[in-house]
PDB file of all heavy atoms in Angstrom:
ATOM      1  N   ILE A  18      44.348 137.803  97.102  1.00 98.00           N
ATOM      2  CA  ILE A  18      43.789 136.893  96.079  1.00 98.00           C
ATOM      3  C   ILE A  18      42.283 137.081  95.995  1.00 98.00           C
ATOM      4  O   ILE A  18      41.710 137.121  94.903  1.00 98.00           O
ATOM      5  CB  ILE A  18      44.164 135.441  96.410  1.00 98.00           C
ATOM      6  CG1 ILE A  18      45.668 135.195  96.183  1.00 98.00           C
ATOM      7  CG2 ILE A  18      43.340 134.457  95.606  1.00 98.00           C
ATOM      8  CD1 ILE A  18      46.167 133.859  96.704  1.00 98.00           C
ATOM      9  N   PHE A  19      41.628 137.203  97.169  1.00 98.00           N
ATOM     10  CA  PHE A  19      40.209 137.410  97.189  1.00 98.00           C
ATOM     11  C   PHE A  19      39.827 138.758  96.578  1.00 98.00           C
ATOM     12  O   PHE A  19      38.802 138.852  95.889  1.00 98.00           O
ATOM     13  CB  PHE A  19      39.667 137.338  98.611  1.00 98.00           C
ATOM     14  CG  PHE A  19      38.188 137.091  98.763  1.00 98.00           C
ATOM     15  CD1 PHE A  19      37.537 136.247  97.893  1.00 98.00           C
ATOM     16  CD2 PHE A  19      37.491 137.747  99.754  1.00 98.00           C
ATOM     17  CE1 PHE A  19      36.157 136.031  98.032  1.00 98.00           C
ATOM     18  CE2 PHE A  19      36.119 137.521  99.876  1.00 98.00           C
ATOM     19  CZ  PHE A  19      35.446 136.664  99.023  1.00 98.00           C
ATOM     20  N   ARG A  20      40.578 139.792  96.841  1.00 98.00           N
ATOM     21  CA  ARG A  20      40.350 141.129  96.219  1.00 98.00           C
ATOM     22  C   ARG A  20      40.343 140.962  94.724  1.00 98.00           C
ATOM     23  O   ARG A  20      39.439 141.487  94.034  1.00 98.00           O
ATOM     24  CB  ARG A  20      41.413 142.091  96.661  1.00 98.00           C
ATOM     25  CG  ARG A  20      41.178 143.542  96.148  1.00 98.00           C
ATOM     26  CD  ARG A  20      42.449 144.362  96.180  1.00 98.00           C
ATOM     27  NE  ARG A  20      42.995 144.508  97.541  1.00 98.00           N
ATOM     28  CZ  ARG A  20      42.662 145.447  98.404  1.00 98.00           C
ATOM     29  NH1 ARG A  20      41.732 146.373  98.069  1.00 98.00           N
ATOM     30  NH2 ARG A  20      43.207 145.500  99.615  1.00 98.00           N
ATOM     31  N   LYS A  21      41.381 140.326  94.158  1.00 98.00           N
ATOM     32  CA  LYS A  21      41.510 140.136  92.728  1.00 98.00           C
ATOM     33  C   LYS A  21      40.320 139.356  92.154  1.00 98.00           C
ATOM     34  O   LYS A  21      39.792 139.654  91.110  1.00 98.00           O
ATOM     35  CB  LYS A  21      42.811 139.463  92.388  1.00 98.00           C
ATOM     36  CG  LYS A  21      43.104 139.303  90.878  1.00 98.00           C
ATOM     37  CD  LYS A  21      44.428 138.661  90.664  1.00 98.00           C
ATOM     38  CE  LYS A  21      44.706 138.485  89.171  1.00 98.00           C
ATOM     39  NZ  LYS A  21      46.049 137.894  88.917  1.00 98.00           N
ATOM     40  N   ARG A  22      39.921 138.295  92.903  1.00 98.00           N
ATOM     41  CA  ARG A  22      38.818 137.482  92.467  1.00 98.00           C
ATOM     42  C   ARG A  22      37.533 138.299  92.376  1.00 98.00           C
ATOM     43  O   ARG A  22      36.714 138.201  91.422  1.00 98.00           O
ATOM     44  CB  ARG A  22      38.639 136.264  93.366  1.00 98.00           C
ATOM     45  CG  ARG A  22      37.561 135.363  92.858  1.00 98.00           C
ATOM     46  CD  ARG A  22      37.335 134.172  93.787  1.00 98.00           C
ATOM     47  NE  ARG A  22      36.177 133.373  93.371  1.00 98.00           N
ATOM     48  CZ  ARG A  22      35.497 132.561  94.155  1.00 98.00           C
ATOM     49  NH1 ARG A  22      35.879 132.364  95.389  1.00 98.00           N
ATOM     50  NH2 ARG A  22      34.436 131.941  93.689  1.00 98.00           N
ATOM     51  N   LEU A  23      37.253 139.057  93.442  1.00 98.00           N
ATOM     52  CA  LEU A  23      36.022 139.845  93.448  1.00 98.00           C
ATOM     53  C   LEU A  23      35.998 140.886  92.360  1.00 98.00           C
ATOM     54  O   LEU A  23      34.926 141.136  91.751  1.00 98.00           O
ATOM     55  CB  LEU A  23      35.867 140.553  94.836  1.00 98.00           C
ATOM     56  CG  LEU A  23      35.578 139.629  96.002  1.00 98.00           C
ATOM     57  CD1 LEU A  23      35.646 140.374  97.358  1.00 98.00           C
ATOM     58  CD2 LEU A  23      34.249 138.945  95.841  1.00 98.00           C
ATOM     59  N   LYS A  24      37.146 141.466  92.081  1.00 98.00           N
ATOM     60  CA  LYS A  24      37.201 142.440  90.972  1.00 98.00           C
ATOM     61  C   LYS A  24      36.874 141.706  89.646  1.00 98.00           C
ATOM     62  O   LYS A  24      36.207 142.256  88.775  1.00 98.00           O
ATOM     63  CB  LYS A  24      38.583 143.056  90.895  1.00 98.00           C
ATOM     64  CG  LYS A  24      38.869 144.092  92.006  1.00 98.00           C
ATOM     65  CD  LYS A  24      40.239 144.784  91.785  1.00 98.00           C
ATOM     66  CE  LYS A  24      40.446 145.889  92.781  1.00 98.00           C
ATOM     67  NZ  LYS A  24      41.805 146.549  92.579  1.00 98.00           N
ATOM     68  N   GLY A  25      37.376 140.492  89.518  1.00 98.00           N
ATOM     69  CA  GLY A  25      37.096 139.734  88.311  1.00 98.00           C
ATOM     70  C   GLY A  25      35.625 139.346  88.161  1.00 98.00           C
ATOM     71  O   GLY A  25      35.125 139.128  87.068  1.00 98.00           O
ATOM     72  N   LEU A  26      34.920 139.355  89.319  1.00 98.00           N
ATOM     73  CA  LEU A  26      33.439 139.136  89.289  1.00 98.00           C
ATOM     74  C   LEU A  26      32.668 140.359  89.050  1.00 98.00           C
ATOM     75  O   LEU A  26      31.410 140.358  89.045  1.00 98.00           O
ATOM     76  CB  LEU A  26      33.014 138.496  90.640  1.00 98.00           C
ATOM     77  CG  LEU A  26      33.536 137.086  90.908  1.00 98.00           C
ATOM     78  CD1 LEU A  26      33.122 136.620  92.299  1.00 98.00           C
ATOM     79  CD2 LEU A  26      33.076 136.093  89.840  1.00 98.00           C
ATOM     80  N   GLY A  27      33.354 141.507  88.867  1.00 98.00           N
ATOM     81  CA  GLY A  27      32.720 142.736  88.551  1.00 98.00           C
ATOM     82  C   GLY A  27      32.430 143.656  89.741  1.00 98.00           C
ATOM     83  O   GLY A  27      31.811 144.714  89.601  1.00 98.00           O
ATOM     84  N   LYS A  28      32.951 143.251  90.913  1.00 98.00           N
ATOM     85  CA  LYS A  28      32.785 144.081  92.083  1.00 98.00           C
ATOM     86  C   LYS A  28      33.816 145.224  92.120  1.00 98.00           C
ATOM     87  O   LYS A  28      34.966 145.009  91.625  1.00 98.00           O
ATOM     88  CB  LYS A  28      32.930 143.243  93.365  1.00 98.00           C
ATOM     89  CG  LYS A  28      31.953 142.100  93.480  1.00 98.00           C
ATOM     90  CD  LYS A  28      30.542 142.481  93.541  1.00 98.00           C
ATOM     91  CE  LYS A  28      29.616 141.269  93.741  1.00 98.00           C
ATOM     92  NZ  LYS A  28      28.184 141.671  93.821  1.00 98.00           N
ATOM     93  N   GLN A  29      33.474 146.310  92.642  1.00 98.00           N
ATOM     94  CA  GLN A  29      34.432 147.429  92.854  1.00 98.00           C
ATOM     95  C   GLN A  29      35.058 147.235  94.246  1.00 98.00           C
ATOM     96  O   GLN A  29      34.302 147.307  95.219  1.00 98.00           O
ATOM     97  CB  GLN A  29      33.786 148.792  92.761  1.00 98.00           C
ATOM     98  CG  GLN A  29      34.744 149.956  93.007  1.00 98.00           C
ATOM     99  CD  GLN A  29      34.073 151.310  92.912  1.00 98.00           C
ATOM    100  OE1 GLN A  29      33.057 151.465  92.233  1.00 98.00           O
ATOM    101  NE2 GLN A  29      34.662 152.310  93.540  1.00 98.00           N
ATOM    102  N   VAL A  30      36.345 147.003  94.338  1.00 98.00           N
ATOM    103  CA  VAL A  30      36.990 146.757  95.619  1.00 98.00           C
ATOM    104  C   VAL A  30      38.024 147.835  95.865  1.00 98.00           C
ATOM    105  O   VAL A  30      39.102 147.843  95.282  1.00 98.00           O
ATOM    106  CB  VAL A  30      37.640 145.365  95.661  1.00 98.00           C
ATOM    107  CG1 VAL A  30      38.145 145.086  97.070  1.00 98.00           C
ATOM    108  CG2 VAL A  30      36.646 144.297  95.220  1.00 98.00           C
ATOM    109  N   ASP A  31      37.635 148.785  96.706  1.00 98.00           N
ATOM    110  CA  ASP A  31      38.561 149.894  97.071  1.00 98.00           C
ATOM    111  C   ASP A  31      39.399 149.489  98.283  1.00 98.00           C
ATOM    112  O   ASP A  31      39.302 148.381  98.796  1.00 98.00           O
ATOM    113  CB  ASP A  31      37.776 151.153  97.352  1.00 98.00           C
ATOM    114  CG  ASP A  31      37.032 151.680  96.113  1.00 98.00           C
ATOM    115  OD1 ASP A  31      37.472 151.355  94.984  1.00 98.00           O
ATOM    116  OD2 ASP A  31      36.017 152.379  96.294  1.00 98.00           O
ATOM    117  N   GLY A  32      40.266 150.396  98.720  1.00 98.00           N
ATOM    118  CA  GLY A  32      41.165 150.128  99.814  1.00 98.00           C
ATOM    119  C   GLY A  32      42.579 149.848  99.360  1.00 98.00           C
ATOM    120  O   GLY A  32      42.885 149.971  98.150  1.00 98.00           O
ATOM    121  N   TYR A  33      43.417 149.456 100.270  1.00 98.00           N
ATOM    122  CA  TYR A  33      44.814 149.282  99.958  1.00 98.00           C
ATOM    123  C   TYR A  33      45.492 148.418 101.032  1.00 98.00           C
ATOM    124  O   TYR A  33      44.871 148.020 102.030  1.00 98.00           O
ATOM    125  CB  TYR A  33      45.494 150.633  99.870  1.00 98.00           C
ATOM    126  CG  TYR A  33      45.516 151.453 101.153  1.00 98.00           C
ATOM    127  CD1 TYR A  33      46.678 151.580 101.912  1.00 98.00           C
ATOM    128  CD2 TYR A  33      44.363 152.073 101.614  1.00 98.00           C
ATOM    129  CE1 TYR A  33      46.694 152.307 103.061  1.00 98.00           C
ATOM    130  CE2 TYR A  33      44.359 152.806 102.798  1.00 98.00           C
ATOM    131  CZ  TYR A  33      45.522 152.939 103.485  1.00 98.00           C
ATOM    132  OH  TYR A  33      45.544 153.685 104.697  1.00 98.00           O
ATOM    133  N   VAL A  34      46.799 148.161 100.818  1.00 98.00           N
ATOM    134  CA  VAL A  34      47.625 147.422 101.767  1.00 98.00           C
ATOM    135  C   VAL A  34      48.465 148.470 102.559  1.00 98.00           C
ATOM    136  O   VAL A  34      49.169 149.269 102.002  1.00 98.00           O
ATOM    137  CB  VAL A  34      48.541 146.440 101.091  1.00 98.00           C
ATOM    138  CG1 VAL A  34      49.483 145.780 102.077  1.00 98.00           C
ATOM    139  CG2 VAL A  34      47.733 145.418 100.304  1.00 98.00           C
ATOM    140  N   VAL A  35      48.310 148.457 103.886  1.00 98.00           N
ATOM    141  CA  VAL A  35      49.052 149.350 104.751  1.00 98.00           C
ATOM    142  C   VAL A  35      50.454 148.813 104.943  1.00 98.00           C
ATOM    143  O   VAL A  35      50.633 147.638 105.432  1.00 98.00           O
ATOM    144  CB  VAL A  35      48.381 149.511 106.097  1.00 98.00           C
ATOM    145  CG1 VAL A  35      49.087 150.528 106.974  1.00 98.00           C
ATOM    146  CG2 VAL A  35      46.881 149.929 105.940  1.00 98.00           C
ATOM    147  N   GLU A  36      51.448 149.530 104.535  1.00 98.00           N
ATOM    148  CA  GLU A  36      52.837 149.079 104.546  1.00 98.00           C
ATOM    149  C   GLU A  36      53.411 149.146 105.968  1.00 98.00           C
ATOM    150  O   GLU A  36      53.072 150.006 106.723  1.00 98.00           O
ATOM    151  CB  GLU A  36      53.714 149.929 103.572  1.00 98.00           C
ATOM    152  CG  GLU A  36      53.302 149.788 102.125  1.00 98.00           C
ATOM    153  CD  GLU A  36      53.489 148.387 101.596  1.00 98.00           C
ATOM    154  OE1 GLU A  36      54.368 147.633 102.113  1.00 98.00           O
ATOM    155  OE2 GLU A  36      52.761 147.982 100.673  1.00 98.00           O
ATOM    156  N   GLY A  37      54.273 148.157 106.246  1.00 97.00           N
ATOM    157  CA  GLY A  37      55.055 148.255 107.512  1.00 97.00           C
ATOM    158  C   GLY A  37      54.327 147.876 108.752  1.00 97.00           C
ATOM    159  O   GLY A  37      54.802 148.224 109.847  1.00 97.00           O
ATOM    160  N   VAL A  38      53.195 147.240 108.665  1.00 98.00           N
ATOM    161  CA  VAL A  38      52.421 146.909 109.851  1.00 98.00           C
ATOM    162  C   VAL A  38      51.941 145.427 109.817  1.00 98.00           C
ATOM    163  O   VAL A  38      51.843 144.811 108.719  1.00 98.00           O
ATOM    164  CB  VAL A  38      51.154 147.803 109.995  1.00 98.00           C
ATOM    165  CG1 VAL A  38      51.595 149.259 110.106  1.00 98.00           C
ATOM    166  CG2 VAL A  38      50.217 147.627 108.780  1.00 98.00           C
ATOM    167  N   GLY A  39      51.749 144.903 110.978  1.00 97.00           N
ATOM    168  CA  GLY A  39      51.268 143.542 111.131  1.00 97.00           C
ATOM    169  C   GLY A  39      49.799 143.492 111.443  1.00 97.00           C
ATOM    170  O   GLY A  39      49.130 144.554 111.491  1.00 97.00           O
ATOM    171  N   HIS A  40      49.304 142.301 111.675  1.00 97.00           N
ATOM    172  CA  HIS A  40      47.901 142.074 111.977  1.00 97.00           C
ATOM    173  C   HIS A  40      47.443 142.892 113.175  1.00 97.00           C
ATOM    174  O   HIS A  40      48.101 142.945 114.172  1.00 97.00           O
ATOM    175  CB  HIS A  40      47.675 140.594 112.234  1.00 97.00           C
ATOM    176  CG  HIS A  40      46.261 140.197 112.293  1.00 97.00           C
ATOM    177  ND1 HIS A  40      45.494 139.926 111.159  1.00 97.00           N
ATOM    178  CD2 HIS A  40      45.391 140.002 113.366  1.00 97.00           C
ATOM    179  CE1 HIS A  40      44.298 139.538 111.520  1.00 97.00           C
ATOM    180  NE2 HIS A  40      44.217 139.598 112.821  1.00 97.00           N
ATOM    181  N   GLY A  41      46.307 143.566 112.995  1.00 96.00           N
ATOM    182  CA  GLY A  41      45.713 144.305 114.096  1.00 96.00           C
ATOM    183  C   GLY A  41      46.498 145.535 114.529  1.00 96.00           C
ATOM    184  O   GLY A  41      46.377 146.015 115.628  1.00 96.00           O
ATOM    185  N   TRP A  42      47.291 146.132 113.581  1.00 95.00           N
ATOM    186  CA  TRP A  42      48.103 147.229 113.928  1.00 95.00           C
ATOM    187  C   TRP A  42      47.368 148.457 114.478  1.00 95.00           C
ATOM    188  O   TRP A  42      47.863 149.204 115.250  1.00 95.00           O
ATOM    189  CB  TRP A  42      48.868 147.670 112.641  1.00 95.00           C
ATOM    190  CG  TRP A  42      48.262 148.850 111.918  1.00 95.00           C
ATOM    191  CD1 TRP A  42      48.673 150.151 111.984  1.00 95.00           C
ATOM    192  CD2 TRP A  42      47.175 148.819 111.024  1.00 95.00           C
ATOM    193  NE1 TRP A  42      47.853 150.952 111.214  1.00 95.00           N
ATOM    194  CE2 TRP A  42      46.926 150.128 110.627  1.00 95.00           C
ATOM    195  CE3 TRP A  42      46.321 147.789 110.523  1.00 95.00           C
ATOM    196  CZ2 TRP A  42      45.891 150.504 109.710  1.00 95.00           C
ATOM    197  CZ3 TRP A  42      45.318 148.121 109.652  1.00 95.00           C
ATOM    198  CH2 TRP A  42      45.097 149.453 109.271  1.00 95.00           C
ATOM    199  N   ASP A  43      46.117 148.613 114.058  1.00 96.00           N
ATOM    200  CA  ASP A  43      45.334 149.794 114.447  1.00 96.00           C
ATOM    201  C   ASP A  43      44.763 149.698 115.867  1.00 96.00           C
ATOM    202  O   ASP A  43      44.196 150.664 116.384  1.00 96.00           O
ATOM    203  CB  ASP A  43      44.165 149.970 113.480  1.00 96.00           C
ATOM    204  CG  ASP A  43      43.259 148.750 113.444  1.00 96.00           C
ATOM    205  OD1 ASP A  43      43.714 147.659 113.329  1.00 96.00           O
ATOM    206  OD2 ASP A  43      42.020 148.971 113.504  1.00 96.00           O
ATOM    207  N   LYS A  44      44.948 148.502 116.518  1.00 93.00           N
ATOM    208  CA  LYS A  44      44.393 148.327 117.856  1.00 93.00           C
ATOM    209  C   LYS A  44      45.375 148.659 118.961  1.00 93.00           C
ATOM    210  O   LYS A  44      45.026 148.666 120.162  1.00 93.00           O
ATOM    211  CB  LYS A  44      43.884 146.900 118.012  1.00 93.00           C
ATOM    212  CG  LYS A  44      42.738 146.541 117.035  1.00 93.00           C
ATOM    213  CD  LYS A  44      41.518 147.424 117.331  1.00 93.00           C
ATOM    214  CE  LYS A  44      40.365 147.042 116.447  1.00 93.00           C
ATOM    215  NZ  LYS A  44      40.552 147.411 115.050  1.00 93.00           N
TER     216      LYS A  44
END
């Protein structure tokens, strides 16, 4: 929701949602 809001404010928001993982998966 925040990503969408920032885009609506004119910010460029790159990145994505990593599928199949939970919080802190990279640790």
Side-chain angles (χ1 to χ4, degrees):
I18 289 171
F19 197 40
R20 183 199 301 273
K21 183 177 180 179
R22 183 181 172 201
L23 291 174
K24 287 184 175 181
L26 294 176
K28 304 295 184 181
Q29 179 181 336
V30 188
D31 296 336
Y33 63 106
V34 176
V35 184
E36 296 297 332
V38 299
H40 191 83
W42 98 98
D43 58 313
K44 298 297 183 289

